[in-house]
Amino acid sequence: MSLSIPQSNPLANYLAHRVEIDEAIRRTLESGWYILGDEVASFENEFAEYLNVRHAVGVGSGTAALYLALRVCDVGPGDTVLTVSHTAVATVAAIELTGAAPLLVDIDPLTFTLDVERVEAAIAEYRGAIKAIIPVHIYGHPARVTDIMQLATRHGIRVIEDCAQAHGAEWMGRKIGTFGDVAAFSFYPTKNLGALGDGGAVVTNDEGLASRVRSLREYGWEQRYVSQVPGVNSRLDELQAAILRVKLRHLDNDNRRRADVARSYSAALAGHPHISLPQTSKAANHAYHQYVVRTPARDSLRAFLSAKGIGTSIHYPVPVHQQPAYAGRIGSAGELHHTEAAAREILSLPIFPELPADAVKAVADQINTWRA
Ligand SMILES: *Cc1c(COP(=O)(O)O)cnc(C)c1O
């Protein structure tokens, strides 16, 4: 019998919460108010409370959240923003949208997050030129935010956390998104907290920064129809906010189920001669947006699993600095050796809250029969 196991499954998450979501949609449709109303305001309060942060501002996407976060940190043309090349291209696209120049550094090969020693070296090399740092909590594993904050504070650099893959993740017992000056979340449908369309949020403890995001997301208005600064249109809509309010109530439980999937894979694949398993820092509570294994025979493993009906993904196959749009244009501080090696070897296995235990076992069993 052949399997059919997708790598991610936003439909399953909708179906799991269908009654509540359908009710939220109906309520919103019948309210007659579709942009920036009670649903968005309530979601913003509930999401801020969940993270234990003072302000959350709903915006149109994760990319827009990063862009607006950079804008309120006064990042613009002539500035340099340090981040990783091993990320969704959105991180770098958002930097360029502001007119600033991205400066990419390598990752720590064990956690795939920003290598803090490289950050320190880059700050020394680019003296004063680095205006902001974007650590990316990739796959749901937190970057070393406390060390990054310490470095940044000492040098007067702003920190914007890219939390698009890390809703509910924690570092030293504290939620990711509460460490930086400001943080950006995406609610793209496959994320741990996913809308049924596009959405994002900017969160911060700084009242001034939050109110600037509120203004910028709607043309730079402070008062309707009068722009104080040049802004954009990037709003979370009422329907998505109503859906996200439902999904937020289930986020911790969904994340526990992701962690169960990860634990099962790790137990079943431990000691595999050709595969390295994801590592978790002691200080981290991993949100397991992805479960990413590594093997030099990645393409062979991927084709083998595909033939068995098991979906996998590569997050991401081409590092940003090697993509045609950016190749040769973006600066890097030092070699991106670990980034380039990771792109050749990583494979994201099926993981989502509704993935049944027997499917997890079937995936692991197949991997254990594979010969590199
Ligand atoms: C998904 C993602 C984004 C972009 O979010 P969108 O909502 O798709 O714009 C940014 N950064 C990372 C790391 C992501 O995974």
Side-chain angles (χ1 to χ4, degrees), residues 119 143 179 184:
V119 175
F179 291 87

Side-chain angles (χ1 to χ4, degrees), residues 60-64 66 87-91 136-138 162-165 185-188 191 198-200 289 316:
S61 70
T63 309
L66 285 165
T87 183
V89 75
T91 314
V136 180
H137 307 299
I138 195 131
D162 183 339
C163 304
Q165 303 191 3
F185 285 85
S186 162
F187 306 124
Y188 184 81
K191 310 286 188 184
D198 273 315
H289 176 59
Y316 295 91

